[in-house]
Amino acid sequence: MTGRLPLHACPVCDGRRLYYAFSRQPYRLVRCASCTLLMLNPQPSDEELETIYSSDYFLGEDTPEGHDRVAQMKAATASHQLRQLARYRGEPDGRLLEIGCGQGDFLIEARRAGYNVAGIEISPSATALANARLGDNLVVCGTLENTSIEDGAFDICVLSDVIEHTRNPRSFLAAVRRALKPGGTLFLATPSLDSWSARLLRQNWMEFKPEHLTYFDRKTIQNLLYRSGFNELIVQPGYKALNLNYVAAHFARYPVPVFNTLFHWLTRLAPRRLSEAN
């Protein structure tokens, strides 16, 4: 527990009644009595998180073929998300910022669709790879807080699997709102406690990870967004293109009883074309 950061109030509603929920060793999860937000407490230190976000953070076989398969999978997810965005906003145009853009998969598809793109990524290795793929140094290494972004600079901001990593999600989203033009759009995706996987696995849910500092459901994410100045919300289930090998690698890194064994044998017994299919 040395060096970990205790929370004395809820980062969404400032409530100070935080009750113990359960533990995923060596971490404790607590729930806010006021808004029901679930969160780690105490939280990993900056040094712990820096170690987690190392060059091997991104899953996938470390071969050219493995990188290509993961890129295809992420491109399929990005295409689905861009279609959702187009249904909300209309024709793809304007300036789009993705925070936590990883290796640039979404930005590549967004630029292909017609957006003028930029990104922010905390991992130096992922930033370097994203810029190599995109060119023009479109991705800045850092966080929103330490990056110079002009107010009202972007039409769209994309946060895909990011908000759960932030220490103060409310102030973070307030900064995102300032970066958006009046009438701008926020596209946000985060693991949900309402999902079938969370309901099935309960305390063994694979999203209970030390780098995930907060856990949302439909109610708490809407509460956070309203408190951060966003309105006209649409909250709906999201989907990702995944293949069997990728899911097995995820369970290998974040073990879940029974499922690790199940996916180990599925990947061994399934034909290769099925294991690698999205």
Side-chain angles (χ1 to χ4, degrees), residues 5-250:
L5 308 177
L7 291 178
H8 301 293
C10 173
V12 169
C13 75
D14 296 323
R16 301 187 69 85
R17 293 182 298 155
L18 307 179
Y19 294 112
Y20 173 77
F22 61 91
S23 294
R24 279 294 297 269
Q25 293 298 332
Y27 294 91
R28 298 169 66 253
L29 287 93
V30 302
R31 191 178 294 278
C32 175
S34 299
C35 74
T36 73
L37 181 74
L38 189 67
M39 68 206 89
L40 290 186
N41 193 19
Q43 298 193 340
S45 66
D46 290 344
E47 291 75 18
E48 283 182 270
L49 292 177
E50 186 176 343
T51 300
I52 291 170
Y53 300 133
S54 62
S55 59
D56 63 351
Y57 182 67
F58 297 93
L59 291 173
E61 185 182 351
D62 192 17
T63 65
E65 295 79 9
H67 288 294
D68 285 344
R69 285 192 291 270
V70 170
Q72 291 171 17
M73 183 180 68
K74 291 184 177 293
T77 299
S79 295
H80 169 70
Q81 293 174 334
L82 287 163
R83 288 193 295 272
Q84 290 181 299
L85 191 56
R87 283 196 293 270
Y88 183 77
R89 278 189 57 91
E91 290 298 315
D93 59 10
R95 298 193 70 198
L96 181 150
L97 172 68
E98 184 182 13
I99 302 173
C101 64
Q103 298 173 355
D105 299 278
F106 182 90
L107 293 179
I108 289 170
E109 297 304 313
R111 185 169 65 179
R112 185 175 292 144
Y115 293 105
N116 180 7
V117 303
I120 300 174
E121 169 56 41
I122 194 171
S123 166
S125 59
T127 300
L129 182 55
N131 279 323
R133 299 173 71 193
L134 287 159
D136 299 325
N137 290 320
L138 296 173
V139 177
V140 175
C141 186
T143 64
L144 178 61
E145 292 81 0
N146 63 23
T147 304
S148 298
I149 298 289
E150 294 182 8
D151 290 356
F154 292 92
D155 300 280
I156 303 165
C157 183
V158 174
L159 304 174
S160 185
D161 298 321
V162 168
I163 194 66
E164 66 275 12
H165 294 258
T166 62
R167 292 203 187 277
N168 193 326
R170 196 174 72 196
S171 64
F172 175 76
L173 285 183
V176 169
R177 189 167 180 268
R178 289 193 297 271
L180 286 169
K181 295 177 181 178
T185 299
L186 169 65
F187 183 94
L188 184 153
T190 186
S192 174
L193 291 165
D194 292 325
S195 65
W196 68 265
S197 59
R199 293 178 183 277
L200 173 66
L201 297 175
R202 299 187 180 183
Q203 295 182 14
N204 289 316
W205 191 33
M206 60 280 191
E207 299 297 346
F208 290 131
K209 311 171 183 179
E211 66 268 34
H212 287 181
L213 308 181
T214 47
Y215 301 89
F216 298 93
D217 57 20
R218 179 182 292 266
K219 173 186 172 182
T220 53
I221 197 65
Q222 288 185 97
N223 183 27
L224 170 62
L225 288 164
Y226 278 125
R227 287 175 179 269
S228 305
F230 291 93
N231 50 37
E232 299 183 27
L233 307 181
I234 297 176
V235 179
Q236 60 187 33
Y239 302 94
K240 287 184 177 181
L242 301 173
N243 63 43
L244 192 57
N245 284 342
Y246 187 88
V247 174
H250 191 281

